[in-house]
């Protein structure tokens, strides 16, 4: 490969200076001239018919400009099922659902007006568990489900309240179980957690009374998708809608949906052109935006005595919350890889996304894979233990390698999984005595690891333009949102590489859908790969124009030119080089501009069929990772402390190694939080009991151990410079790795997250009382009930 | 990346609600200011909404995340829990006051170089806390850094790069001191 | 979250003036110390003060001083951070410094005051168990002059104290104590920082010679009863006995039996009771181990024996 000047280097983040000086403007910071302030009245009931809303008193309060309810905003939206009203219509389905909103001259007035709105409810039966909500005979949360507009990926379920049923069928699992020497079935539980981005949610909207154009300022991950969704909901052509993105203070999936946006738009229609700002505070952000799906996962596996996986059956109940949001696609993309990155001849998966009367669940970094990895990777350890095999040997025997035909029918290539397994386990000292071989009394040390494969949404499209002006300055126009992941830096590096200009000559324009070419979304770890390719192509096109012009200036052919440091010169000639700016000035004049465009779609890609679970190219690329943990468990208190974490990730090619490490470390921290602390606790009235940073426990700087990251580069044939994605896998295997380490330490396994001190404490107590074979540290190879 | 081109205006607060204003004299980022404030508003709102200084961030409003950290009389505090009405005579430093002339403060420069900022929303608070830490302790150990920053939540970084940045900042500041002493 | 209703903030320079303001303006007034609880009560809990009297300008309320007789006086407005890093406190009662250092974050501790924390009577207050085992007294300024009450009888229930409307907590007095007094505070919470205590245990004891025979012992518990409490049954188990794992365990069991924890979103009552047992044992053993020098923070918690 040619020597690279910018790619593969830990270039300093180009957005860092604005961020360290406090001058970066985030959605929450934005102030618009003449704006009004919105506040929202939220439902206090989990499932109820709205008998009456009286907004008269609120309307009469001085300073109030608009009061809206579902009646004033008769629109519904949704990514794949149009089931979500802008504001509740006739019914509420969770505590925290927006029922009415006020726009006023200041926040205090708006809040005071909200308090004057009267709502009368008639309660309906409510469900707080996905398994209960889909019991035969359960009351429907969406009576009109059948008549909703839906995308063609939607497969209705066989039982009440199931909004999507994903099926994967390969081989014959029943036959597979009969062939097996050992069959094991377990149930695993993952609770809902919060995205908890440090910046709470907010949106600003304005409707131009003359043209009817709707402008929304919001830090959203997917401005082009929400533009489309808004246009569909409002029945407007797309050009009548504009999304403008300020900086985003973290999202992790939460900011790709329409939540505050819909309320701001509904209000803006009533304010005669004055913009409206709606800000959610921390508690509202926890409850009324979105959460990560709770999941109940049943896995049944059949293995041969020698450790060969024969059959696996997975059944997953995804708690979707009150509205579909992204649940159908989470159900598909999360259920499809749920049997794990292994060669298994007989596979059956049934994923059910189920409505409940809880806060909505939607996209969260990892898109379902973290939940199923908690189940699958603990299950793998338990199988190994019962077989009397080493957990690493067991995985190495079954794990995907290059050229394997996966259970969904795809021939895999560029699989770096084995390397991540070997490197992570080596770094943690798997199979070796622990560093703390003499722990204090009552402290149990254990090690564990887990691996995953994460697909990306496929096929999707990114487009970009690269513009060079007569000063030689390069501007990237690309619809990737800087959510903190570092895309601005990565894309600048790619443009700088192709054009051979200094990195500080490259800038990326902020996102405005009226101006910037289309991008599917900043999700699914897709940006470096898709937008990276698009920017690369655009930069090449711009470069070609420069070299063509330079060739005529130098009176030579393009092939004789070489580029470096923003200049072009003729190889082996003494003639002085011309800067890009000079080339443009001489050929096009001092106002001249050169621009190239580029687009990328993984053409042959096709998402898995929700009826069969099959696709020959289900994902443009797969991200592979293994993480390993060493833990110390305090037997008397149940507290788990981490001694060390190791993460080995196959990134294809590290465009910016420092940034890769930073992404992985951040993922680890999030995964550690999910493993040990994080859970949105919902009581039996459907209320979130801990919607604050006091009681929803993000890890602090004192809660994290030494983290070692290992970058594995198994290049992707289609990725820019071989790169794959990286954003999501950082947290996916973490809880399972820690869970396996805790099981290794205690000799007892815990199937439910988080591994809070109290949960671990009771598990230890239970295992002391009845040391059952299923939780014994000794393999139970001869257990007749498990063996056939 | 460029900012969105939107003029920052001060929306102000309407007087018709019978608000009680109070005149206070403060030193804000080294400059003396006489302000008319609504006493029950919080320092965070005073900075962000009334003075248009949005560098100080709001993450929770309840003192649980540290994003709104500013220095009050040289000490880091959560500006979301300080009433404007108690500020007469106060010396306040915010992120906007950290730069030394056109130069980045070493703490800022270290965070920039070491990847201490990802989404950047916790960064101003982290920087103010770090500044306070390094004033008290020129050579903090990793443990001391973790202890000092434990009231500043970050959801992006896993704190590792932040801790590295603090160590580098400490080093840069010590070197600067030595050079200044020599010069 | 609620935005506050308009109110005025007064800043008197003396206790006298503060009391007069309060009398003059009548009901609905609140005293403001650090404000870390008051601001949250206004924003989150719907508290609507008519006016607020800020006590921070009253010089006599601040500072920490040691009297000639060895007693310590902590001004009510001494911040948690001042208590945490005070030389005299960390020399005399390191576990009291540590308990102050367990509150919130440095940012919070730079504002939160020891007097405010006591006056708010939160069951999970971290410094209170440490002060209880030091048999601290509380001085209040009332309309009938100054009053002194033992801290133990100061609390009446969550958020309730013996103070009446208009009373101002002025100082906390720690009586003279033996130089051989050893103590410990353990805050048990899921994270290393930023949490409320699920269980807090403070121990102070005096032992005879090298035998570790307990001559005198005081144990106090936080977050496991309506008000922070002394665990007298647990103390009785230890007096005149050799302190070892076995006796400490029995004292822990006694403490677990005499507390009355509740179940909430943070932990169940049963688990809290177990944690009282375990952490009382550990606090006792940690206390007799003495306080080794510069241990990393995480190791300073829970167990060192």
């Amino acid at each position: 490969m040619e020597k690279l000047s910018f790619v593969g280097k830990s270039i300093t983040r180009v957005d860092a200076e604005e961020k360290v000086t406090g001058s970066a403007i985030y959605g929450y910071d934005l102030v618009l001239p003449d704006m009004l302030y919105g506040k929202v009245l939220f439902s206090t009931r989990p499932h109820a018919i709205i008998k009456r809303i009286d907004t008269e008193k609120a309307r009469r309060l001085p300073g109030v400009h608009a009061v809206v309810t579902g009646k004033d905003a008769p629109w519904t939206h949704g990514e794949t099922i149009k089931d979500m009203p802008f504001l509740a219509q006739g019914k509420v389905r969770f505590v925290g659902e927006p029922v009415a909103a006020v726009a006023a001259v200041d926040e205090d007035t708006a809040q005071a007006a909200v308090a004057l709105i009267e709502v009368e409810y008639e309660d309906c039966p409510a469900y707080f568990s996905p398994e209960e909500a889909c019991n035969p005979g359960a009351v429907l949360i969406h009576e009109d489900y059948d008549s909703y507009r839906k995308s063609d990926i939607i497969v209705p379920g066989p039982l009440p309240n199931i909004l999507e049923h994903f099926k994967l069928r390969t081989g014959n699992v029943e036959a597979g179980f009969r062939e097996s020497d050992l069959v094991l079935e377990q149930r695993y539980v993952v609770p809902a957690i919060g995205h908890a981005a440090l910046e709470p949610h907010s949106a600003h909207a304005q409707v131009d009374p003359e043209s009817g154009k709707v402008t929304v300022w919001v830090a959203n991950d997917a401005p082009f998708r929400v533009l489309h969704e808004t246009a569909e909901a409002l029945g407007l052509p797309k050009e009548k809608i504009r999304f403008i993105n300020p900086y985003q203070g973290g999202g992790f999936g939460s900011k790709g949906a329409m939540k505050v946006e819909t309320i701001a738009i509904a209000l803006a229609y009533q304010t005669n052109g004055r913009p409206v700002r709606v800000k959610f505070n921390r508690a509202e952000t926890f409850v009324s935006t979105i959460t990560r799906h709770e999941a109940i996962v049943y896995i049944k596996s059949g293995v041969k005595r020698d450790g060969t996986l024969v059959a696996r059956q997975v059944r997953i109940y995804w708690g979707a919350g009150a509205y579909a949001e992204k649940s159908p696609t989470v159900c598909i993309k999360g259920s499809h890889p749920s049997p794990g990155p292994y060669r298994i001849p007989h596979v059956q998966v049934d994923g059910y996304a189920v409505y409940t009367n809880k806060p909505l669940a939607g996209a969260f970094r990892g898109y379902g894979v973290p939940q199923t990895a908690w189940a699958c990777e603990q299950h793998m350890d338990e199988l190994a233990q019962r077989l009397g095999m080493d957990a690493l040997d067991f995985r190495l025997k079954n794990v995907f390698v290059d050229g394997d035909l996966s259970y969904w029918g795809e021939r895999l290539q560029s699989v770096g999984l084995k390397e991540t397994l070997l490197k992570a386990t080596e770094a943690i000292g798997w199979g070796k005595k622990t560093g703390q071989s003499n722990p204090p009394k009552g402290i149990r040390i254990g090690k564990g690891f887990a691996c995953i494969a994460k697909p990306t949404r496929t096929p999707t499209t990114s487009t970009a333009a690269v513009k060079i002006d007569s000063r030689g300055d390069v501007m990237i126009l690309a619809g990737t949102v800087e959510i903190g992941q570092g895309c601005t830096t990565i894309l600048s590096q790619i443009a700088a590489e192709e054009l051979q200009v200094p990195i500080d000559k490259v800038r990326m324009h902020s996102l405005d859908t009226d101006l910037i070419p289309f991008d599917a979304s900043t999700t699914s770890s897709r940006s470096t790969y898709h937008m990276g390719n698009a920017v690369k192509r655009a930069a090449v096109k711009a470069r070609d124009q420069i070299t063509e012009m330079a060739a005529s200036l130098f009176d030579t052919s393009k092939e004789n030119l070489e580029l470096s440091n923003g200049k072009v010169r003729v190889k082996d000639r003494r003639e002085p080089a011309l800067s890009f700016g000079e080339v443009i000035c001489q050929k096009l004049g001092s106002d001249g501009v050169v621009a190239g465009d580029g687009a990328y779609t993984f053409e042959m890609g096709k998402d898995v069929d929700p009826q069969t679970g099959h696709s020959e190219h289900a994902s443009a690329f797969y991200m592979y990772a293994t993480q390993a943990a060493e833990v110390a468990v305090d037997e008397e208190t149940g507290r788990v402390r981490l001694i060390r974490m190791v993460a080995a990730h196959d990134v294809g090619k590290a465009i910016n190694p420092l940034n890769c490490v930073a992404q992985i470390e951040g993922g680890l921290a999030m995964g550690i939080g999910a493993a040990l602390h994080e859970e949105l606790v919902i009581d039996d009235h459907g209320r979130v009991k801990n919607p604050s940073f006091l009681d929803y426990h993000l890890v602090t700087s004192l809660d994290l151990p030494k983290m070692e990251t290992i970058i594995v580069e198994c290049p992707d044939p289609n990725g820019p410079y071989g790169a794959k994605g990286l954003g999501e896998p950082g947290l996916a295997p973490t809880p399972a790795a820690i869970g396996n380490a805790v099981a290794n330490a205690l000799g007892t396994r815990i199937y439910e997250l988080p591994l809070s001190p109290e949960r671990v404490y009771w598990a230890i107590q239970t295992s002391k009382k009845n040391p059952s074979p299923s939780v014994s540290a000794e393999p139970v190879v001869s257990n007749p009930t498990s063996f056939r | 990346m460029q900012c969105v081109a939107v003029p920052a205006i001060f929306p102000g607060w309407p007087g018709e609600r019978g608000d009680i204003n109070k005149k206070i004299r403060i030193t804000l980022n080294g400059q003396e200011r006489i302000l008319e404030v609504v006493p029950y508003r919080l320092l965070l709102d005073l900075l962000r909404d009334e003075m248009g200084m949005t560098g100080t961030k709001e993450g929770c409003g309840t003192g649980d995340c540290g994003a709104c950290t500013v220095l009050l009389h040289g000490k880091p505090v959560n500006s979301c829990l300080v009433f404007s009405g108690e500020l007469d005579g106060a010396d306040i430093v915010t992120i906007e006051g950290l730069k030394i002339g056109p130069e980045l403060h070493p703490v800022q420069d270290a965070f920039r170089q070491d990847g201490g900022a990802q989404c950047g929303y916790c960064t101003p608070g982290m920087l103010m806390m770090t500044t306070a830490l390094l004033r008290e302790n020129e050579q903090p150990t990793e443990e001391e850094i973790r202890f000092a920053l434990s009231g500043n939540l970050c959801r992006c970084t896993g704190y590792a790069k932040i801790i590295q940045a603090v160590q580098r900042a400490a080093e840069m500041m010590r070197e600067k001191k030595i050079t200044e002493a020599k010069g | 979250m609620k935005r506050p209703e308009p109110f005025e903030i007064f800043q008197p320079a003396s206790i006298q003036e503060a009391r007069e303001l309060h009398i003059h303006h009548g009901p609905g007034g609140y005293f403001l110390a650090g404000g870390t609880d008051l601001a949250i009560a206004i924003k989150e809990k719907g508290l609507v003060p008519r006016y607020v009297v800020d006590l921070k300008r009253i010089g006599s309320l601040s500072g920490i001083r040691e009297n000639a007789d060895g007693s310590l006086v902590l001004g009510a407005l001494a911040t948690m951070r001042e208590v945490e890093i005070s030389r005299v406190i960390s020399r005399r009662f390191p576990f009291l410094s540590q308990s102050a250092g367990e509150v919130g974050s440095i940012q919070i501790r730079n504002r939160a005051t020891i007097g405010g924390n006591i006056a708010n009577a939160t069951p999970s207050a971290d410094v209170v168990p440490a002060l209880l085992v030091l048999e601290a007294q509380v001085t209040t300024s009332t309309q009938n002059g100054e009053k002194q009450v033992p801290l133990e009888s100061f609390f009446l229930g969550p958020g309730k104290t013996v103070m009446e409307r208009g009373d101002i907590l002025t100082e906390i007095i720690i009586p003279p104590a033996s130089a051989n007094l050893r103590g410990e505070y353990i805050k048990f919470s899921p994270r290393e920082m930023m949490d409320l205590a699920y269980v807090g245990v403070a121990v102070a004891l005096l032992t005879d010679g090298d035998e570790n025979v307990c001559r005198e012992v005081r144990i106090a518990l936080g977050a496991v009863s309506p008000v922070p409490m002394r665990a007298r049954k647990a103390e009785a188990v230890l007096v005149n006995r050799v302190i070892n794992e076995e006796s400490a365990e029995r004292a822990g069991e006694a403490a677990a039996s005499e507390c009355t924890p509740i179940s909430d979103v943070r932990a169940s009552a049963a688990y809290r009771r177990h944690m009282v047992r375990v952490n009382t044992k550990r606090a006792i053993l940690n206390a007799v181990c003495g306080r080794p020098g510069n241990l990393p923070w995480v190791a300073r918690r829970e167990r060192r024996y």
Side-chain angles (χ1 to χ4, degrees), chain B residues 74 76 107 129-149 166-174 177, chain C residues 81 85 106 294 300:
Chain B
V107 167
M129 189 65 223
T130 304
T131 311
L133 167 70
L134 296 181
R135 246 184 233 170
E136 277 178 24
N137 183 348
E138 283 183 17
Q139 215 164 336
T141 63
E142 183 187 328
E143 201 59 40
E144 286 165 339
I145 296 169
R146 286 185 184 272
F147 181 71
L149 294 181
V166 176
Q167 285 165 330
R168 184 205 281 256
E171 213 173 286
M172 283 161 67
M173 285 166 79
R174 284 199 306 276
K177 237 183 178 175
Chain C
R81 183 71 175 156
I85 60 179
I106 291 179
N294 200 13
R300 269 190 273 159

Side-chain angles (χ1 to χ4, degrees), chain A residues 348-384:
Chain A
Q348 181 176 332
V349 181
D350 289 276
Y352 304 101
V354 189
Y355 284 126
T356 64
N357 295 107
K358 285 161 84 162
L360 316 193
F364 188 112
R365 196 178 192 182
Y367 225 69
V369 172
Q371 291 97 313
T372 57
W374 163 251
C376 177
E377 285 301 291
Q378 288 220 94
H379 192 71
M380 287 298 285
D381 260 36
E382 205 170 342
L383 283 169

Side-chain angles (χ1 to χ4, degrees), chain A residues 39 107-108 111-112 281-284 440-443 634-639 641 677 681 689-690 692-700 702-703 757-759 761-762 765, chain C residues 1-6 44 187-196 198 245 249 265-272 274-275 277-279 281-282 297-298 301-303 305:
Chain A
K39 281 279 174 190
E107 283 196 358
D108 292 20
Q111 189 65 61
N281 64 28
R282 178 52 54 192
E284 292 161 358
K441 200 180 129 214
I443 300 287
D634 188 328
E635 278 189 307
E636 279 185 319
T637 62
R639 181 200 280 277
R641 279 205 169 90
H677 305 296
V681 181
K689 298 302 282 176
N690 55 343
S692 69
F693 282 148
L694 179 64
D695 282 320
Y696 185 88
H697 294 151
L698 301 192
V699 290
T700 73
L702 280 168
D703 294 300
E758 178 158 4
R759 174 164 285 129
Y761 176 83
W762 294 121
Q765 298 309 310
Chain C
M1 199 197 296
K2 235 180 126 282
R3 290 265 165 181
E5 293 293 317
E44 298 271 281
K187 173 179 188 162
F188 188 79
S189 64
R191 289 183 294 183
E192 306 287 352
M193 258 297 165
M194 294 302 286
D195 285 334
L196 293 184
Y198 285 19
E245 277 219 54
E249 173 77 43
V265 66
R266 294 172 192 132
S268 71
Y271 180 65
R272 280 202 163 100
H274 281 293
M275 289 309 101
R277 174 175 58 78
V278 171
N279 288 296
K281 176 185 84 175
R282 291 179 175 189
W297 174 257
V298 289
R301 304 186 87 190
E302 295 175 42
R303 48 180 283 168
Y305 58 92

Side-chain angles (χ1 to χ4, degrees), chain A residues 498-685:
Chain A
E498 292 308 319
L499 295 167
Q500 290 297 315
V501 297
I503 195 89
D504 56 10
K505 287 285 238 182
V506 184
R507 285 182 305 152
M508 185 163 140
H509 202 283
S510 67
L511 216 165
D512 176 340
T513 55
D514 265 6
L515 169 75
I516 301 291
F518 175 85
D519 179 45
S521 59
T522 306
T523 59
S524 207
S525 311
R526 62 179 291 282
S527 297
T528 296
Y529 186 96
H530 292 85
M531 190 57 86
N533 270 327
V535 167
K536 194 173 175 219
R537 287 175 178 182
V540 168
K541 272 198 195 166
R543 181 184 70 199
D544 284 348
Q545 294 173 54
I546 294 280
T547 49
E548 208 157 290
M549 293 190 294
S552 88
L553 287 172
F554 284 118
D555 196 18
T556 178
S557 73
K558 271 166 80 176
E559 292 68 41
N560 295 331
L561 297 175
E562 66 180 10
L563 306 179
S564 92
N565 203 25
K567 291 181 181 153
V568 54
R569 62 189 284 271
V570 183
K571 284 180 209 160
D572 312 320
R573 236 198 249 177
R574 292 203 148 209
E575 212 168 328
L578 285 175
S579 73
F580 289 4
E582 286 164 335
V583 172
I584 291 170
C585 279
Q586 289 186 25
K587 291 298 282 189
L588 303 173
S590 60
D591 298 326
V593 162
V594 154
D597 62 336
Y600 185 81
T601 313
F602 185 69
E603 301 282 355
M604 54 186 172
K606 193 172 182 322
D607 210 340
V608 286
D609 179 335
Q611 295 280 7
T612 64
H614 283 234
S615 168
E616 281 178 25
H617 294 285
S619 178
F621 56 88
Y622 291 86
M623 295 167 278
Y624 301 102
T626 303
Q627 294 183 352
E630 185 174 359
V631 302
V633 188
D634 188 328
E635 278 189 307
E636 279 185 319
T637 62
R639 181 200 280 277
V640 177
R641 279 205 169 90
L642 298 168
I643 299 170
R644 217 151 50 97
M645 289 290 312
V646 177
H649 286 246
D650 173 15
V651 305
K653 162 80 187 171
I655 304 240
N656 185 322
L658 176 77
N659 208 43
C660 287
V661 170
Q663 277 293 304
I664 296 167
E665 286 169 347
L668 271 171
M670 203 178 248
I672 290 167
L676 301 182
H677 305 296
E678 292 182 36
E679 172 176 16
L680 278 177
V681 181
I682 291 166
D683 70 7
D684 47 15
H685 303 286

